[in-house]
Amino acid sequence: GNSVTQMEGPVTLSEEAFLTINCTYTATGYPSLFWYVQYPGEGLQLLLKATKADDKGSNKGFEATYRKETTSFHLEKGSVQVSDSAVYFCALRPSDGQNFVFGPGTRLSVLP
Amino acid sequence: GAVVSQHPSRVICKSGTSVKIECRSLDFQATTMFWYRQFPKQSLMLMATSNEGSKATYEQGVEKDKFLINHASLTLSTLTVTSAHPEDSSFYICSVAGTDQLYGYTFGSGTRLTVV
């Protein structure tokens, strides 16, 4: 079946540190891959996406590259800010369906 | 992408009562909406797929008689938690498929339900 695995949190970084949140997936076919962010008390917001191998999604300084050979979609940011503190969810949407499969989420705390 | 409004954002109810949560697609006619549930510090779990004009499709383990879903129009789906109990306390989020089926869906802002 389809599944998403993320690195366990919480992740605590100092402001301006480099961020990597690992995400790997298992899926049949060619899924689309997503990162969603959830700020405290809010719903999910789409952060970035990639729909095919070697695509790079980017937004607000965050990047992730669709790596089919390693079935990964790691999230990176060169310099985090306090305002980036949130929970980050990696997700996939199977090529043959509509429903998302979410990873467990990684909580990021950025300290000033 | 679609604009989704979810209401209420927070609700506290007594055990045994029912609570209705609304999910509206403000600028897009959504034939399909999805309802998710999120327990504290856990990921989202799909509860059901709401189809306009037909019965919702529930995921395994979700009680359809307890979580009533109505999708009577192309812009509104409702989730009613019937005879709520404290274990139903959770964060409920709806989502709407955008016009481009290849990309991500738009999520509502969520409803935090607390049953006391």
Side-chain angles (χ1 to χ4, degrees):
Chain A
N2 300 311
S3 66
V4 176
T5 303
Q6 285 179 242
M7 62 186 293
E8 292 188 14
V11 174
T12 303
L13 297 173
S14 296
E15 205 165 22
E16 299 184 2
F18 183 85
L19 168 72
T20 299
I21 300 178
N22 289 338
C23 170
T24 56
Y25 68 90
T26 301
T28 55
Y30 301 91
S32 296
L33 303 175
F34 305 84
W35 277 100
Y36 281 85
V37 57
Q38 185 179 32
Y39 297 103
E42 299 184 14
L44 269 68
Q45 299 177 26
L46 177 64
L47 182 59
L48 54 83
K49 60 184 181 289
T51 59
K52 61 182 185 296
D54 299 325
D55 267 3
K56 177 185 284 187
S58 61
N59 185 26
K60 300 181 180 179
F62 291 90
E63 292 183 341
T65 301
Y66 190 144
R67 300 288 188 198
K68 188 163 180 62
E69 64 276 15
T70 55
T71 61
S72 65
F73 193 55
H74 305 322
L75 182 68
E76 296 182 337
K77 186 174 185 181
S79 176
V80 293
Q81 305 300 312
V82 173
S83 57
D84 293 327
S85 297
V87 180
Y88 292 82
F89 293 94
C90 185
L92 70 83
R93 177 171 174 267
S95 57
D96 59 351
Q98 292 186 318
N99 299 327
F100 278 73
V101 176
F102 285 88
T106 301
R107 183 175 300 277
L108 169 67
S109 296
V110 180
L111 305 178
Chain B
V3 178
V4 177
S5 173
Q6 189 172 339
H7 179 81
S9 57
R10 294 177 184 273
V11 58
I12 300 174
C13 71
K14 294 183 178 180
S15 289
T17 61
S18 295
V19 174
K20 179 184 287 187
I21 302 170
E22 293 186 348
C23 180
R24 292 182 183 273
S25 175
L26 299 183
D27 61 348
F28 173 67
Q29 293 185 328
T31 56
T32 303
M33 296 185 181
F34 303 91
W35 287 95
Y36 292 84
R37 180 175 183 176
Q38 184 183 30
F39 289 104
K41 299 185 179 181
Q42 295 187 28
S43 189
L44 280 74
M45 299 299 295
L46 179 66
M47 298 176 65
T49 302
S50 169
N51 301 297
E52 187 268 338
S54 64
K55 292 182 178 180
T57 303
Y58 290 81
E59 296 300 301
Q60 189 174 8
V62 178
E63 299 176 61
K64 62 181 180 181
D65 294 331
K66 181 167 186 64
F67 298 100
L68 299 179
I69 291 174
N70 184 285
H71 193 159
S73 76
L74 290 171
T75 59
L76 174 65
S77 176
T78 61
L79 168 67
T80 301
V81 183
T82 62
S83 187
H85 292 283
E87 57 265 30
D88 298 325
S89 298
S90 189
F91 194 59
Y92 294 88
I93 306 177
C94 68
S95 73
V96 171
T99 52
D100 189 334
Q101 291 294 311
L102 288 177
Y103 296 126
Y105 296 170
T106 301
F107 285 80
S109 56
T111 298
R112 183 163 301 284
L113 169 63
T114 303
V115 184
V116 297

